[in-house]
Amino acid sequence: MSRRALMAGTMAASLAAPLSLAGSAQAQEPLRFGMAMPLSGGQATYGQDQVKAAEWAVAEINAKGGVAGRKLEMIVLDTRADPQAGIQAANRLVSVDKVPAFVSAWSAVVKAVAPVANDTRTVQLSVGANSAEIARLGDYTYTTFPLASVDITAVAQYAAKEMGKKRAAVLYINNETGTVAAQIYRDVFTKAGSQVVAYEAYDPRASDWTGPLLKVRAAQPDIVHIQGLVADTPQVIAQMRQLGLTIPISSYSAVYNPKLIEQLGKASEGVIATSLAPGAADDPAVAAYLARWKEVGREPNGLPYTQYLYDAPYLVAAVYGGLIEKKMPLTGENFRKEMLAIRSFDLPLTGKLTINDDHTVNKTVYLMEVKNGAWVKKAVVE
């Protein structure tokens, strides 16, 4: 072999080695997705538990080999449940971390962030927000959590038809979480032949609800439906009881958590809430999940929400798996295409999830009631 040929061969080998290493490194890069949740502020107790559930799922996926041999990586940013902070988090996830998809929650945040998702063709998965408007926020915002049209319809119909209530008062927080859901309750309850005798909004920053509650009391309802947030609803109920309103109270899945009973004690008796996920008695996987929480000394805040957050990384992993199998670029646009191509997902803690053409999902509604200091199943609405 000539010296020139030997040098050429040596140079080719030296160039090939870094290229091969680069290709190998690229193949092993983690598959990233975002998680924008409240880690501070008034909703932090709930956001932190939801993130913990998702972290457990990511760890378990990676312990089983990840996705096609690549690790799943979740980038967590704080939204404080504040729309502006949510926009900042979404912009960072899209522009800096370059994720094709991210998980969000809280209706006001999801709505504020939707334009970022649409403009950058990045999939926003709303996991826990309930405003029915979420289904109409554009091509790149989807929910994996049933919206208010599912569980609020169920609880309103149950109040009118099964409980025989004729006069309801609706008290709701004046933001995306409350306004649309309150309208759904009012429309469903009246369509069932009953009457909404009081319909009162309160400011999201309120710390006293005497004014609207006195109007509710004056209307003499036989049931009150409260559509608030997890932080304020127990306080509203406490003040309602102090004002002598002992009639039944219904709400939605935000209040279905142990903190309500801890905060209210006997005042929580008879409160009805919705749950959109099976409980420990319904599924052994949920029982095992709850046992894991009890190992850390407590139940999770907002149990059904944490179940959906636990399942979110499994949905992301399934979509990533499809993209890798089809050798498609890992972009937001392709993530959306593959997610809709798969359409139905079998998830560990919430069961089968099918994404509908109108960006909604349907689930069984469990009506839960506080009895003797514990949440018990009252009814199941398919």
Side-chain angles (χ1 to χ4, degrees), residues 217-245:
R217 188 172 69 177
Q220 298 183 328
D222 53 15
I223 190 169
V224 176
H225 181 77
I226 302 174
Q227 196 73 28
L229 291 173
V230 290
D232 56 69
T233 302
Q235 299 175 63
V236 174
I237 294 173
Q239 193 164 19
M240 178 179 160
R241 296 307 194 205
Q242 289 167 5
L243 290 172
L245 285 161

Side-chain angles (χ1 to χ4, degrees), residues 84-209:
Q84 190 57 44
I87 291 171
Q88 293 169 357
N91 278 324
R92 176 175 169 178
L93 289 168
V94 170
S95 302
V96 178
D97 299 306
K98 309 290 185 182
V99 299
F102 62 89
V103 173
S104 66
W106 274 258
S107 297
V109 173
V110 174
K111 185 175 181 180
V113 165
V116 177
N118 292 328
D119 291 346
T120 61
R121 295 186 177 183
T122 304
V123 174
Q124 175 182 207
L125 293 171
S126 170
V127 186
N130 78 322
S131 172
E133 289 186 352
I134 290 168
R136 301 186 290 273
L137 294 179
D139 290 341
Y140 281 83
T141 292
Y142 288 84
T143 183
T144 68
F145 188 85
L147 302 179
S149 54
V150 176
D151 63 332
I152 303 305
T153 295
V155 75
Q157 287 181 338
Y158 189 87
K161 295 180 179 180
E162 303 301 325
M163 297 177 70
K165 301 302 180 183
K166 299 299 181 184
R167 297 169 59 83
V170 179
L171 185 63
Y172 63 95
I173 190 168
N174 194 16
N175 65 14
E176 284 79 3
T177 295
T179 55
V180 178
Q183 291 169 9
I184 291 170
Y185 187 97
R186 178 186 62 191
D187 294 347
V188 171
F189 192 77
T190 54
K191 189 176 180 180
S194 297
Q195 182 183 6
V196 172
V197 294
Y199 193 73
E200 298 295 326
Y202 62 86
D203 192 287
R205 296 162 296 183
S207 58
D208 181 89
W209 300 270

Side-chain angles (χ1 to χ4, degrees), residues 4-64:
R4 179 177 293 179
L6 181 60
M7 289 178 66
T10 303
M11 185 176 291
S14 66
L15 288 171
L19 287 172
S20 175
L21 289 171
S24 175
Q26 186 176 12
Q28 296 306 314
E29 284 182 2
L31 300 167
R32 295 180 168 183
F33 72 101
M35 175 72 65
M37 301 292 284
L39 303 177
S40 61
Q43 310 299 314
T45 303
Y46 304 91
Q48 289 169 3
D49 280 8
Q50 291 172 23
V51 169
K52 182 184 286 290
E55 288 173 342
W56 285 350
V58 170
E60 288 166 10
I61 290 167
N62 289 334
K64 295 175 182 176

Side-chain angles (χ1 to χ4, degrees), residues 326-377:
K326 295 177 182 177
K327 298 180 179 179
M328 296 171 67
L330 306 181
T331 65
E333 189 172 6
N334 284 340
F335 190 100
R336 175 180 177 271
K337 288 178 181 177
E338 182 61 15
M339 182 177 71
L340 295 179
I342 297 173
R343 186 75 65 173
S344 290
F345 302 82
D346 288 316
L347 301 173
L349 296 184
T350 59
K352 186 175 181 179
L353 176 82
T354 299
I355 298 174
N356 300 322
D357 290 336
D358 61 358
H359 293 221
T360 65
V361 296
N362 296 316
K363 285 283 187 178
T364 298
V365 179
Y366 300 86
L367 296 182
M368 310 298 294
E369 183 177 13
V370 179
K371 279 192 175 182
N372 300 318
W375 286 105
V376 298
K377 191 187 302 180

